[in-house]
């Protein structure tokens, strides 16, 4: 008789328990090919369950090919059902998942690029969502076009012209699942193995990885307090494109002046290459007026990337890529192969959110919040570290750069700092040519309240002070 333990306290139905255990015994060879199983009546009596339960379990095993039924003879294990068992991988419960690490409430995390998630305008978003879901035509629930909903592209073209000086037609816009997908599309659109890309150094490591995946070579162009040093662009090379963050260089924070922008445009015309402009958080500018886009100077040369991850929330996964006309059709095909299209209903909600003025009001509100947090962070740094600290790149965005002249942010020091309950990020992690920014860290503040900022700076100071004397 089959040994099938049953646990009636489990949420798993009895049919499923019996099915799974017989299936397992067949796969591991405990029940061998041609072996006869007990009749449904016998097994139901043995296990003290309804015969219908056994019948359904057997029927499932018959349907999947584990068993064969012979009229007048009974039910037997089918041929070819033994699977040699291999060592199982560790249980997922025993793994240290990255998600769990990021949820350590005792760590004050100065990660850059995270907005104030608790201030997302959820009531307004919910109201618009309710309206959209109730009003849209049934056809909207079907497959959509890869470049995105026309409603959103029309609204975006007007909004970007007004706020960023971007000169584009709705047909030039491709809606993406965030800036990461836009960067990936650019890579697939323009790059082949061994191509050259001129890129700011330092620049976020994620972008470096995306472009390297194509097999291209990254040629670093140093940056200073004004962004890319365009005078260092080599005249004897022909890159496929130059990648820049002109409105707020990441991570150092410089803003590219008009003279360097014109140099870039002239360079791209001379070498017949494109410029790829990543405008990732320039809406939050605290010193002077907003800076116009590079794209507005030469729309035929510049591919413009933007997203709503830092303006609203990364959870929205919504971004856009604006293309010169000659690249539109090829990019649409690449987008179709990538994911068919970005979620349609979210696009319609975002279009309404922008068109009715909610986005601009939200940005104005958040600029005040972030400026307050930026000022408080600067105050805490200068009060705590006195004249040992230099601060850069604070005019725009959600992070600033801290330079501590007497520190070297090695792996050992960073691990030591984390033991004090604070996490910071070295600029060196984002460099191509190493060794120039060893005493600089990136401090993101958009998602941190003032009390967290103060405590984080205090912990950072204690950690660095104790590290000097720990031996």
């Amino acid at each position: 008789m089959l040994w099938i333990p049953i646990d009636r306290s489990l949420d798993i139905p009895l049919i499923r328990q019996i099915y799974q255990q017989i299936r397992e015994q067949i796969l591991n060879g405990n029940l061998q090919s041609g072996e006869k199983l007990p009749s449904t009546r016998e097994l139901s009596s043995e296990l003290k369950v309804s015969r219908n339960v056994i019948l359904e379990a057997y029927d499932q095993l018959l349907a999947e090919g584990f068993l064969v039924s012979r009229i007048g003879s009974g039910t037997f294990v089918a041929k070819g059902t033994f699977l040699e068992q291999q060592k199982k991988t560790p249980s997922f419960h025993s793994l240290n998942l990255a998600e769990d690490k990021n949820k350590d409430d005792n760590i004050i995390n100065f990660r850059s690029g995270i907005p104030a998630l608790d201030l997302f305008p959820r009531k307004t978003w919910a109201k618009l969502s309710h309206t959209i879901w109730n009003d849209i035509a049934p056809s909207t629930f079907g497959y959509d076009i890869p470049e995105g909903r026309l409603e959103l592209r029309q609204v975006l073209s007007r909004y970007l012209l007004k706020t960023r000086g971007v000169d584009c037609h709705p047909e030039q816009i491709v809606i993406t699942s965030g800036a990461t997908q836009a960067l990936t599309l650019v890579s697939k659109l323009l790059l082949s193995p061994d191509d050259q890309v001129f890129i700011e150094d330092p620049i976020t490591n994620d972008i470096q990885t995306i472009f390297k995946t194509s097999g291209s070579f990254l040629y670093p162009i140093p940056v200073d307090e004004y962004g890319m040093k365009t005078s260092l662009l080599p005249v004897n090379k022909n890159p496929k494109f130059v990648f820049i963050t002109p409105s707020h260089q990441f991570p150092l924070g410089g803003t590219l002046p008009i003279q360097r922008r014109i140099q870039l445009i002239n360079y791209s015309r001379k070498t017949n290459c494109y410029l790829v402009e990543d405008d990732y958080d320039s809406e939050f500018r605290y010193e002077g007026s907003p800076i116009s886009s590079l794209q507005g100077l030469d729309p035929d040369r510049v591919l413009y990337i933007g997203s709503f991850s830092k303006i609203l929330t990364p959870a929205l996964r919504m971004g856009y890529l604006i293309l010169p006309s000659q690249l539109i059709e090829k990019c649409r095909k690449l987008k179709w192969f990538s994911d068919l299209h970005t979620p349609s209903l979210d696009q319609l909600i975002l279009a309404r959110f922008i068109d009715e003025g909610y986005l601009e009001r939200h940005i104005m509100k958040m600029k005040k919040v972030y400026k307050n947090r930026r000022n408080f962070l600067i105050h805490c740094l200068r009060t705590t570290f006195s004249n040992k600290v230099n601060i850069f790149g604070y005019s725009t965005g959600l992070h600033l750069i801290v330079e501590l002249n007497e520190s070297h942010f090695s792996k050992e020091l960073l691990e030591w700092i984390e033991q004090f309950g604070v996490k910071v990020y070295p600029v060196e992690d984002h460099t191509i040519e190493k060794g120039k920014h060893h005493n600089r860290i990136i401090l993101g503040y958009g998602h941190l309240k003032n009390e967290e900022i103060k405590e984080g700076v205090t912990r950072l100071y204690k950690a660095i002070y104790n590290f000097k004397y720990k031996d």
Side-chain angles (χ1 to χ4, degrees):
M1 183 60 65
L2 280 175
W3 169 246
I4 302 178
I6 289 176
D7 188 345
R8 298 177 187 273
S9 66
L10 296 177
D11 290 335
I12 303 172
L14 294 178
I15 295 168
R16 194 71 186 174
Q17 290 188 46
I18 294 167
Y19 155 81
Q20 286 177 336
Q21 293 189 62
I22 296 175
R23 178 182 182 274
E24 185 69 24
Q25 291 191 48
I26 293 173
L27 286 171
N28 64 29
N30 288 340
L31 288 172
Q32 297 184 2
S33 175
E35 187 171 343
K36 185 177 181 180
L37 268 63
S39 70
T40 56
R41 196 179 303 278
E42 290 172 331
L43 193 55
S44 68
S45 175
E46 176 70 23
L47 299 181
K48 295 181 173 51
V49 298
S50 165
R51 186 183 174 205
N52 287 336
V53 170
I54 307 300
L55 281 167
E56 288 197 41
Y58 274 24
D59 284 345
Q60 184 64 37
L61 292 162
L62 284 162
E64 294 182 14
F66 286 97
L67 303 178
V68 292
S69 179
R70 299 172 188 164
I71 298 173
S73 298
T75 303
F76 300 83
V77 178
K79 292 181 180 180
T81 52
F82 168 70
L83 178 65
E84 185 177 352
Q85 302 301 298
Q86 296 183 342
K87 185 179 179 181
K88 291 185 177 181
T89 56
S91 165
F92 286 110
H93 298 293
S94 67
L95 298 178
N96 294 319
L97 299 181
E99 182 181 2
D100 294 331
K101 290 181 180 179
N102 292 334
K103 290 183 178 179
D104 188 343
D105 293 332
N106 295 318
I107 293 282
I108 295 175
N109 194 337
F110 281 100
R111 180 178 172 182
S112 64
I114 304 177
L117 302 177
D118 58 320
L119 297 179
F120 177 78
R122 61 176 69 193
K123 288 184 179 179
T124 301
W125 194 267
K127 180 187 72 173
L128 295 176
S129 176
H130 180 77
T131 301
I132 294 293
W133 278 81
N134 282 337
D135 293 351
I136 57 173
S139 60
T140 313
F141 291 97
Y143 290 107
D144 219 324
I145 52 178
E147 61 267 32
R149 298 289 304 189
L150 179 59
E151 296 93 329
L152 178 56
R153 289 183 287 121
Q154 288 175 328
V155 167
L156 264 179
S157 66
R158 295 193 298 268
Y159 169 79
L160 291 172
L161 178 62
K162 173 183 174 182
T163 62
R164 305 292 302 114
V166 172
D167 181 9
C168 73
H169 188 276
E171 291 300 300
Q172 293 176 252
I173 301 176
V174 172
I175 304 300
T176 64
S177 298
T180 299
Q181 187 183 46
L183 289 161
T184 303
L185 288 171
V186 167
S187 180
K188 292 179 178 179
L189 191 64
L190 299 180
L191 295 178
S192 299
D194 300 323
D195 283 340
Q196 285 191 334
V197 175
F198 290 178
I199 191 167
E200 296 169 334
D201 186 20
I203 192 67
T204 176
N205 192 54
D206 292 342
I207 291 174
Q208 296 178 46
T209 301
I210 290 170
F211 294 154
K212 284 179 181 177
T213 301
S214 68
S216 59
F217 175 75
L218 303 186
Y219 189 100
I221 308 294
V223 303
D224 58 18
E225 66 269 29
Y226 300 108
M228 178 181 279
K229 298 170 75 171
T230 52
S231 61
L232 298 181
L233 289 166
V235 296
N236 59 343
K237 295 183 181 293
N238 294 101
K240 283 300 179 77
F241 62 83
V242 181
F243 180 84
I244 38 176
T245 52
S247 294
H248 185 221
Q249 200 282 324
F250 185 90
L252 299 187
T255 299
L256 201 69
I258 185 61
Q259 293 81 3
R260 293 191 186 185
R261 293 176 185 236
I262 290 173
Q263 278 185 311
L264 267 174
I265 296 291
N266 287 332
Y267 183 84
S268 70
R269 291 173 179 176
K270 183 178 179 180
T271 59
N272 195 32
C273 75
Y274 289 104
L275 304 175
V276 177
E277 176 180 11
D278 185 2
D279 199 12
Y280 65 99
D281 69 358
S282 60
E283 287 83 0
F284 301 121
R285 182 168 177 82
Y286 316 114
E287 311 289 336
S289 302
I291 304 298
S292 295
S293 68
L294 178 68
Q295 191 271 357
L297 295 176
D298 193 342
D300 289 334
R301 285 282 170 192
V302 181
L303 288 78
Y304 180 90
I305 296 171
S307 86
F308 296 92
S309 295
K310 295 169 182 62
I311 306 175
L312 290 169
T313 168
L316 186 58
R317 302 312 308 139
M318 196 81 73
Y320 48 92
L321 172 59
I322 298 175
L323 301 147
S325 58
Q326 62 270 24
L327 298 176
I328 294 171
E329 195 56 40
K330 184 178 178 182
C331 189
R332 288 179 178 180
K333 290 178 180 177
L334 287 171
K335 180 63 166 66
W336 186 88
F337 283 118
S338 174
D339 62 1
L340 293 183
H341 61 85
T342 302
S344 304
L345 300 181
D346 289 342
Q347 292 184 59
L348 291 173
I349 298 167
L350 179 58
R352 190 77 62 88
F353 188 82
I354 298 171
D355 195 40
E356 295 186 8
Y358 293 112
L359 180 62
E360 289 189 70
R361 289 197 289 274
H362 179 69
I363 289 172
M364 292 301 296
K365 171 186 173 182
M366 297 314 299
K367 278 180 70 172
K368 295 176 183 177
V369 172
Y370 295 143
K371 185 175 183 178
N372 174 270
R373 293 180 181 182
R374 179 206 66 165
N375 291 344
F376 188 72
L377 175 56
I378 292 172
H379 167 76
C380 290
L381 288 166
R382 288 179 173 157
T383 302
T384 305
F385 287 93
S386 187
N387 60 350
K388 297 178 181 179
V389 65
N390 296 313
I391 303 170
F392 305 97
Y394 50 78
S395 65
T396 306
L398 303 178
H399 75 271
L400 49 77
I401 299 298
V402 172
E403 180 182 85
L404 294 170
N405 297 324
E406 299 178 6
S407 295
H408 185 292
F409 289 98
S410 62
K411 181 180 179 182
E412 183 184 9
L413 175 55
L414 292 167
E415 290 175 351
W416 177 264
I417 290 171
E418 195 163 348
Q419 291 178 26
F420 281 73
V422 62
K423 190 169 178 61
V424 298
Y425 299 83
V427 172
E428 276 289 300
D429 281 358
H430 301 284
T431 59
I432 300 173
E433 294 185 351
K434 303 296 181 183
K436 298 180 180 179
H437 303 278
H438 59 82
N439 61 346
R440 291 177 170 182
I441 53 175
I442 306 164
L443 295 187
Y445 54 82
H447 60 298
L448 298 175
K449 295 180 172 62
N450 283 358
E451 55 268 27
E452 294 173 303
I453 290 172
K454 183 177 181 180
E455 178 62 23
V457 172
T458 301
R459 293 181 188 181
L460 178 62
Y461 177 80
K462 288 179 180 177
I464 293 174
Y465 179 83
N466 282 277
F467 186 78
K468 292 178 181 179
Y469 304 104
K470 71 182 181 73
D471 296 327

